[in-house]
Amino acid sequence: MPRQLIECVPNFSEGRDAAKIDAIVQAILAVPDVVLLDRESDADHNRSVLTFVGPPAAVAAAAFRAVEKAVALIDLTRHQGAHPRIGAADVVPFIPIEGVTLEECVKLSERLAAEVWEKLKVPVYLYEAAARRPERANLENIRRGQFEALVAEMGKVPARDPDIGDPVCHPTAGALVTGARKFLIAYNVNLNTPDVGIAKKIAKTIRFSSGGFRYVKSMGVMLATRNLAQVSINLTDFEQTPMHLVFETVRREAERYGASVVGSEIVGLIPKKSIELSADYFLRFENFRPELVLENRIAEALAARSGLPEFLDALAAPTATPGGGSASAAAAAMSAALGSMVTRLAKLDPEPFEADRRFFTEAVDRDAEAFNRVMAAYKRPKDERAPFVEEALHGAAGVPLQVVERIHAMRQRLDALAIPAKFASDLAVAKALASAARTGALENVNINLDGIRDEPFKLAVRARLEALA
């Protein structure tokens, strides 16, 4: 089934106390379905960057828990570091990866902002694609003067008022910036000099706001622990302004000032394509294309058998699962997807159907897992299996019952949709799929009820079904 994946890359104003970052990481990992991909901490910047991915709802929940933990642990009145900051949880961007639009990430950031203000009383600014003022699309405009200026000016200077919440800066956690953006590469180039003035001159040369490269943001900072100056760079579109172009420019500019590059570093994760572009440039390949990379070719071959073909292969296999219950949930998910499509085309809110789609997509696997537990119970010794079978059948009936109930609510919304006639056929198919899914899920409820001995449970299930008639 189609996946929905969002990446979140929160930046926290703590890079020296590993215990505090550990606690924030654990807050993120406490949310099911979220996967932590990377963790970077820098003592000079006194900043940590975490990268995690998952379904939209799970990522939003993990982002709030991370912010909540950071607000509790990080005191900006005692914070010092090379990197600008206005918050304990400084910036929390959402990036669409698969099956999700940038606009949906904007809505996710707005929901996070509202929750952070309501529950934590931390005011919030919206940036990038979520910005409500043109000047706030750029993060550096929001962070100008850092936490100290924000404390002094919020509530007094209207331009510093937050987008969400009262103009009252949190006394220790400052403010939060959140929003939605495309993939960004955080890339630093280190120089063989402690003269931070050189790094600042180079940063000014390459950043777009000072007349440099489009899609480049940069600043010069000092790495006190290494006694080196650094050009700290954000590339907001590596395909338009590639890494190798920026690196070569920094190298040439450094030479102009009698310095040289001693190394560069990636903060967080980086798309493989950006490395391929640089390899093509530096190695002067005459025939390079991404398909020549072994891992790319393997991934392409495997992708051809993933998604719907993979599910249909599993459905056609001579095994008990996935079976009719999973197929019914899949049909309901397709109905929800069509509902989402027609509401988007009609300029309506697709979120109710998107929530349905997530529920039914998860039910595909949940149904199979529930029946696998039934089969496992039947493999127990005959004289002890009865209570385990009974419990497993309860679960096997419960999943399709939830699917039936959710389909009922979704079908009412489908029937109530007022859309242009040109989308009528898509809506009709959505309704037909919902009807088929309901029939299939009902069959699975009933066949599992037949094996259950618990009469009160059976009566309760049938009462729930009758309420949907």
Side-chain angles (χ1 to χ4, degrees), residues 224-434:
T225 60
R226 299 179 62 183
N227 197 34
L228 296 177
Q230 179 185 84
V231 183
S232 182
I233 304 162
N234 281 346
L235 298 178
T236 60
D237 191 331
F238 70 88
E239 294 179 276
Q240 299 297 320
T241 303
M243 288 175 61
H244 57 262
L245 175 61
V246 175
F247 175 83
E248 284 290 272
T249 305
V250 171
R251 182 183 61 79
R252 288 196 299 268
E253 288 296 304
E255 290 175 353
R256 285 183 57 216
Y257 298 109
S260 63
V261 170
V262 296
S264 65
E265 61 184 17
I266 300 296
V267 180
L269 302 181
I270 182 172
K272 182 164 56 174
K273 186 175 182 180
S274 65
I275 299 296
E276 292 171 350
L277 289 171
S278 296
D280 186 27
Y281 175 84
F282 284 111
L283 299 179
R284 304 292 193 271
F285 289 126
E286 295 183 357
N287 65 335
F288 181 78
R289 59 187 189 278
E291 293 81 9
L292 293 177
V293 178
L294 175 63
E295 290 83 357
N296 289 353
R297 187 66 65 86
I298 292 173
E300 181 182 351
L302 293 177
R305 296 305 306 161
S306 64
L308 183 59
E310 184 179 31
F311 175 68
L312 293 178
D313 285 346
L315 199 60
T319 56
T321 58
S326 293
S328 299
M334 288 190 287
S335 173
L338 283 171
S340 183
M341 181 191 82
V342 297
T343 51
R344 282 191 173 98
L345 291 171
K347 308 300 183 184
L348 301 172
D349 182 13
E351 181 52 35
F353 291 107
E354 283 298 294
D356 289 334
R357 181 159 71 110
R358 291 191 291 270
F359 175 86
F360 293 129
T361 300
E362 292 170 0
V364 172
D365 291 330
R366 287 177 56 224
D367 187 90
E369 291 165 0
F371 195 71
N372 284 338
R373 286 191 284 273
V374 173
M375 293 190 293
Y378 273 111
K379 291 179 181 178
R380 287 178 171 271
K382 191 172 182 178
D383 59 347
E384 64 177 53
R385 73 172 60 145
F388 297 98
V389 169
E390 185 77 6
E391 181 182 3
L393 285 172
H394 280 214
V399 175
L401 175 62
Q402 294 170 11
V403 169
V404 171
E405 291 174 328
R406 188 82 177 219
I407 291 171
H408 180 78
M410 180 179 71
R411 179 57 192 258
Q412 290 179 322
R413 280 187 275 103
L414 288 171
D415 290 338
L417 278 179
I419 61 170
K422 59 185 177 181
F423 307 137
S425 62
D426 297 305
L427 181 57
V429 173
K431 293 177 180 179
L433 284 167

Side-chain angles (χ1 to χ4, degrees), residues 106-114 124-138 142 161-165 177-180:
V106 168
K107 290 183 179 179
L108 206 65
S109 69
E110 290 172 340
R111 289 198 292 271
L112 173 68
V124 184
Y125 297 92
L126 297 170
Y127 87 125
E128 289 283 356
R132 295 182 178 180
R133 303 185 191 181
E135 67 273 15
R136 291 185 178 174
N138 291 323
I142 299 173
D161 287 354
D163 294 299
I164 305 293
V177 182
T178 186

Side-chain angles (χ1 to χ4, degrees), residues 78-260:
R78 302 181 178 184
H79 178 276
Q80 290 185 333
H83 202 288
R85 79 285 183 263
I86 62 168
D90 192 50
V91 58
V92 180
F94 296 98
I95 302 98
I97 300 297
E98 184 177 339
V100 182
T101 65
L102 188 64
E103 291 73 21
E104 288 168 327
C105 287
V106 168
K107 290 183 179 179
L108 206 65
S109 69
E110 290 172 340
R111 289 198 292 271
L112 173 68
E115 188 175 15
V116 166
W117 169 249
E118 179 183 347
K119 296 181 179 178
L120 306 178
K121 295 307 176 187
V122 173
V124 184
Y125 297 92
L126 297 170
Y127 87 125
E128 289 283 356
R132 295 182 178 180
R133 303 185 191 181
E135 67 273 15
R136 291 185 178 174
N138 291 323
L139 181 59
E140 57 265 34
N141 291 337
I142 299 173
R143 277 203 302 232
R144 188 163 290 125
Q146 302 195 52
F147 168 70
E148 290 75 14
L150 203 64
V151 170
E153 297 176 1
M154 188 180 285
K156 300 176 183 177
V157 180
R160 303 307 296 265
D161 287 354
D163 294 299
I164 305 293
D166 296 339
V168 180
C169 194
H170 190 285
T172 58
L176 170 71
V177 182
T178 186
R181 60 168 172 77
K182 296 181 180 180
F183 201 94
L184 174 149
I185 296 177
Y187 179 55
N188 301 328
V189 181
N190 299 328
L191 309 178
N192 71 337
T193 174
D195 187 349
V196 73
I198 294 176
K200 289 181 176 180
K201 290 177 183 177
I202 296 173
K204 184 177 180 180
T205 297
I206 64 174
R207 65 176 172 246
F208 181 68
S209 63
S210 299
F213 294 120
R214 189 78 172 92
Y215 309 113
V216 172
K217 302 176 181 181
S218 61
M219 62 182 179
V221 299
M222 182 65 190
L223 302 183
T225 60
R226 299 179 62 183
N227 197 34
L228 296 177
Q230 179 185 84
V231 183
S232 182
I233 304 162
N234 281 346
L235 298 178
T236 60
D237 191 331
F238 70 88
E239 294 179 276
Q240 299 297 320
T241 303
M243 288 175 61
H244 57 262
L245 175 61
V246 175
F247 175 83
E248 284 290 272
T249 305
V250 171
R251 182 183 61 79
R252 288 196 299 268
E253 288 296 304
E255 290 175 353
R256 285 183 57 216
Y257 298 109
S260 63

